[in-house]
Amino acid sequence: MSYTVAIVGRPNVGKSTLFNRLIGERKAIVDDQSGVTRDRHYGESDWNGKTFNVIDTGGFVPNSDDVFEKAIREQVQIAIDEADAIIFVVDVLTGITDLDDAVAHLLRKTGKPVFLAVNKVDNQKRQIDAAEFYGLGFENQFNISSISGSGSGEILDALVAHIPLDEDGEEENRIPRIAIIGQPNVGKSSLTNALLDEERNVVTDIAGTTRDSIHTHYTKFDKDLILIDTAGVRKKSKVHENLEFYSVIRAIKAIDDSDIVLLMIDAQFGMEMQDLKLYGLARKKKRGVVVVVNKWDLIDKSTNTARDFEANIRERLAPDNDVPVVFVSVHEKQRVLKALDKAMEVYENRSKRIPTSELNEIMLEAISKNRPPSYHGSYIQIKYVTQLPTDRPQFAFFCNHPKYVKQPYKNYLENQLREHFDFTGVPIDIFMREK
């Protein structure tokens, strides 16, 4: 289930610093200059066993003529509309400003959970000063220091308490969910229509026609699955309409709702940076991926055109070299069913269970042929491996010094798993455990 939290507030109160702390990495640019966050940033946070999306918005500046600030204001409004909960960040050093009041007025009208984060509270005097912000009228107020992390645990505890448990039925969970993602005007809605053999979705030449994600129960050709057609994700340099931001949020939610992602790219442009970012987002969320190259009918072909095109895609996706690539023409209805068949194959790979005896027989032999390097004189012995009972391929290797097993050797173990068992298109997680 997808749950989205938006971080909002006026410029330069520490939203991006808090965002970096929540997702556990330095992704947003942090600077003292007002309005540094001209863009949105998306990340994923995990707390107390619950995972949620985090949106870092630019500073909210109402009634401004500055073109950047106007765009930021519109994006904040959409984030508020689309988010399930909001973290409202204010600065204890400046006290309540007119801008804070403006944001608070907006948030009170949403009816959504609002968590007021009074930032830069890192001494006793500022603890006292923070009491002023109760005047904004929010029940959930937390004194934090986003730089040091003080108070972030308390606000996260309160936040995840509002995230409902996933109550999808067991029967529904067994139905594969396939999301179609990609840049605007690449043919996502046309693919859905071709598969359904009906004009279910509006299709035009205007990029970004699909503003919402559309779920369709697909039961043709002995298949039973959910198709999710997402809104197009435009390159940041071409975001002129605030509705594109809305589309991005919906695309992220659709990936959360899916098991497998069909990443559609335009054969005329190849694998672009925005496509790579979408691919990285799907892999980070541990979804299976199939790359669908559309508009193949528009390409002048020679003997090795498809082979060279696929090699270029794999080079850009490296080190993930086993992602299926399917060439289609949605307009001509060429190989569209093959794309769906390949997605179902990846779904089977994602759901695959390897018997423990077979797993140990093969992997322990592979380990004996290439043992993990010793670390500071400590010899590492891996004695046992098992697949964890999760909805995707995860494996636990039991050894005497798990913390000494480094990433290169984990990569070797993953390559061996892929070589002996078909996990094409699916991310694999490897954990080292003390025996």
Side-chain angles (χ1 to χ4, degrees):
M1 192 193 81
S2 177
Y3 195 88
T4 303
V5 177
I7 303 177
V8 303
R10 60 185 176 80
N12 203 29
V13 292
K15 297 183 300 299
S16 294
T17 307
L18 178 60
F19 170 81
N20 289 335
R21 181 159 295 281
L22 292 185
I23 68 169
E25 57 186 78
R26 287 187 58 83
K27 187 174 180 181
I29 301 170
V30 179
D31 195 276
D32 288 337
Q33 182 181 350
S34 173
V36 166
T37 308
R38 298 296 197 187
D39 209 340
R40 292 86 48 206
H41 292 87
Y42 318 99
E44 197 172 78
S45 183
D46 186 297
W47 188 259
N48 288 348
K50 292 183 179 179
T51 303
F52 55 94
N53 296 311
V54 186
I55 304 171
D56 175 27
T57 64
F60 181 91
V61 186
N63 306 318
S64 171
D65 294 329
D66 181 271
V67 64
F68 280 118
E69 292 180 344
K70 182 176 184 295
I72 290 169
R73 184 170 69 253
E74 292 172 346
Q75 292 158 5
V76 168
Q77 182 61 60
I78 295 169
I80 290 170
D81 291 342
E82 280 300 295
D84 300 292
I86 295 126
I87 296 178
F88 175 23
V89 185
V90 292
D91 187 344
V92 71
L93 298 180
T94 59
I96 298 176
T97 68
D98 291 342
L99 291 180
D100 293 328
D101 275 328
V103 179
H105 178 69
L106 241 158
L107 296 180
R108 279 194 292 268
K109 295 192 296 184
T110 67
K112 296 180 179 180
V114 176
F115 302 88
L116 180 63
V118 185
N119 195 21
K120 306 178 186 178
V121 181
D122 50 15
N123 59 44
Q124 190 64 37
K125 179 183 182 303
R126 293 180 182 179
Q127 287 277 0
I128 297 170
D129 293 341
E132 172 191 357
F133 289 89
Y134 283 106
L136 291 175
F138 294 107
E139 179 183 354
N140 299 308
Q141 177 172 324
F142 301 88
N143 299 335
I144 69 167
S145 171
S146 54
I147 289 181
S148 69
S150 171
S152 57
E154 287 81 355
I155 198 170
L156 280 167
D157 285 340
L159 181 64
V160 298
H162 282 76
I163 301 178
L165 294 172
D166 192 350
E167 297 179 353
D168 287 344
E170 188 177 338
E171 186 66 31
E172 186 181 12
N173 283 337
R174 280 201 289 266
I175 300 177
R177 291 173 169 263
I178 299 175
I180 306 171
I181 68 171
Q183 296 192 55
N185 209 29
V186 77
K188 299 179 299 299
S189 296
S190 297
L191 175 60
T192 305
N193 290 339
L195 290 170
L196 296 171
D197 198 26
E198 60 184 71
E199 292 298 313
R200 175 70 179 266
N201 300 337
V202 177
V203 178
T204 72
D205 290 333
I206 302 170
T209 302
T210 309
R211 301 299 191 188
D212 210 339
S213 298
I214 301 171
H215 292 57
T216 307
H217 194 178
Y218 184 89
T219 55
K220 294 175 181 281
F221 303 103
D222 296 324
K223 291 181 173 62
D224 188 12
L225 53 92
I226 302 294
L227 273 179
I228 308 171
D229 174 25
T230 65
V233 182
R234 191 189 293 273
K235 295 178 188 175
K236 291 174 186 173
S237 60
K238 295 183 179 179
V239 176
H240 300 300
E241 303 174 74
N242 57 19
L243 283 172
E244 294 299 341
F245 181 32
Y246 170 91
S247 299
V248 171
I249 300 175
R250 284 299 172 95
I252 292 172
K253 290 184 176 183
I255 294 173
D256 283 333
D257 289 342
S258 69
D259 303 301
I260 307 299
V261 167
L262 292 179
L263 173 58
M264 293 192 73
I265 68 173
D266 192 323
Q268 300 170 101
F269 303 108
M271 180 72 75
E272 298 186 299
M273 185 57 66
Q274 184 70 18
D275 301 316
L276 289 172
K277 290 179 179 178
L278 286 172
Y279 173 79
L281 181 63
R283 293 293 279 203
K284 185 175 182 179
K285 290 177 176 292
K286 305 299 182 182
R287 301 307 190 253
V289 179
V290 176
V291 176
V292 180
V293 183
N294 190 25
K295 307 183 184 179
W296 192 240
D297 56 310
L298 303 180
I299 300 300
D300 294 329
K301 305 173 188 65
S302 59
T303 305
N304 298 319
T305 304
R307 185 196 67 181
D308 295 343
F309 198 103
E310 182 174 340
N312 178 262
I313 290 175
R314 296 196 182 284
E315 182 179 341
R316 302 212 67 188
L317 294 181
D320 299 336
N321 56 11
D322 69 341
V323 178
V325 179
V326 183
F327 296 89
V328 307
S329 169
V330 173
H331 183 263
E332 302 295 332
K333 295 191 177 180
Q334 295 174 350
R335 294 179 291 277
V336 290
L337 283 177
K338 182 179 179 183
L340 202 57
D341 288 337
K342 191 61 68 174
M344 292 303 295
E345 288 178 20
V346 174
Y347 177 78
E348 293 299 325
N349 294 341
R350 192 174 188 263
S351 310
K352 183 179 296 182
R353 302 291 307 172
I354 310 297
T356 303
S357 57
E358 181 182 357
L359 191 60
N360 279 272
E361 180 182 350
I362 291 174
M363 291 307 296
L364 292 182
E365 182 181 350
I367 291 168
S368 67
K369 290 178 180 178
N370 181 18
R371 296 187 179 279
S374 61
Y375 185 81
H376 290 271
S378 298
Y379 289 96
I380 299 167
Q381 295 180 319
I382 300 176
K383 294 293 187 182
Y384 182 73
V385 56
T386 186
Q387 184 174 359
L388 300 177
T390 55
D391 62 352
R392 62 179 189 267
Q394 295 184 309
F395 298 89
F397 290 78
F398 292 86
C399 62
N400 53 345
H401 298 295
K403 63 182 179 180
Y404 295 158
V405 181
K406 303 303 179 183
Q407 192 59 46
Y409 194 77
K410 291 181 182 179
N411 293 342
Y412 167 74
L413 295 176
E414 178 179 340
N415 290 337
Q416 290 298 307
L417 285 167
R418 293 189 182 278
E419 183 178 322
H420 292 93
F421 311 102
D422 186 6
F423 288 112
T424 300
V426 183
I428 293 177
D429 292 327
I430 289 179
F431 304 98
M432 307 307 297
R433 296 284 185 263
E434 187 131 21
K435 66 177 182 179

